[in-house]
Amino acid sequence: MVSGTLVTIGTRLETRIVGVDGHSVEIPPAASMLVVHNDDRPGMIGMVGVALGEAGVSHQLYGVGPPAHEDRVDVLSTQIPTPSDVIDRLRDTAGIQDIHLITLR
């Protein structure tokens, strides 16, 4: 589940995603976003970044939901959708509880 809001920055009106799967985040919407639910411990999102880099997928923006009950959510905006084989490989990584792709049209 994704929730959003409109914010005024100077004279501009911009959209922001402020919630993903019940976690608070703040990130501008992008055409493709990777949502990673993982243990709240050092190095978890680094493993995701390495896997994306190896697949040639770079992330532009990053939103982190505050930890709740030992888990956290990380949202990465990517230039292209993350390939399904990368998502499957990450899904099998210890400490990653769930991972899914959000695409906006």
Side-chain angles (χ1 to χ4, degrees):
M1 175 170 41
V2 177
S3 56
T5 191
L6 297 172
V7 295
T8 302
I9 300 175
T11 59
R12 297 184 325 266
L13 187 61
E14 295 186 8
T15 57
R16 291 283 187 274
I17 293 175
V18 295
V20 175
D21 296 340
H23 290 261
S24 296
V25 298
E26 185 174 338
I27 188 169
S32 180
M33 294 173 287
L34 187 64
V35 178
V36 183
H37 291 264
N38 54 273
D39 295 346
D40 186 26
R41 60 183 169 90
M44 292 303 303
I45 202 60
M47 288 188 286
V48 174
V50 168
L52 292 175
E54 289 173 349
V57 178
S58 63
H59 66 277
Q60 298 172 324
L61 301 169
Y62 182 73
V64 179
H69 310 293
E70 301 300 318
D71 72 327
R72 64 184 288 137
V73 66
D74 298 298
V75 182
L76 295 92
S77 296
T78 59
Q79 294 174 340
I80 59 173
T82 303
S84 60
D85 63 314
V86 175
I87 293 173
D88 291 341
R89 187 177 59 204
L90 286 169
R91 190 172 280 126
D92 292 335
T93 301
I96 293 184
Q97 301 162 8
D98 188 25
I99 185 168
H100 57 275
L101 186 64
I102 297 174
T103 54
L104 303 177
R105 297 171 199 230

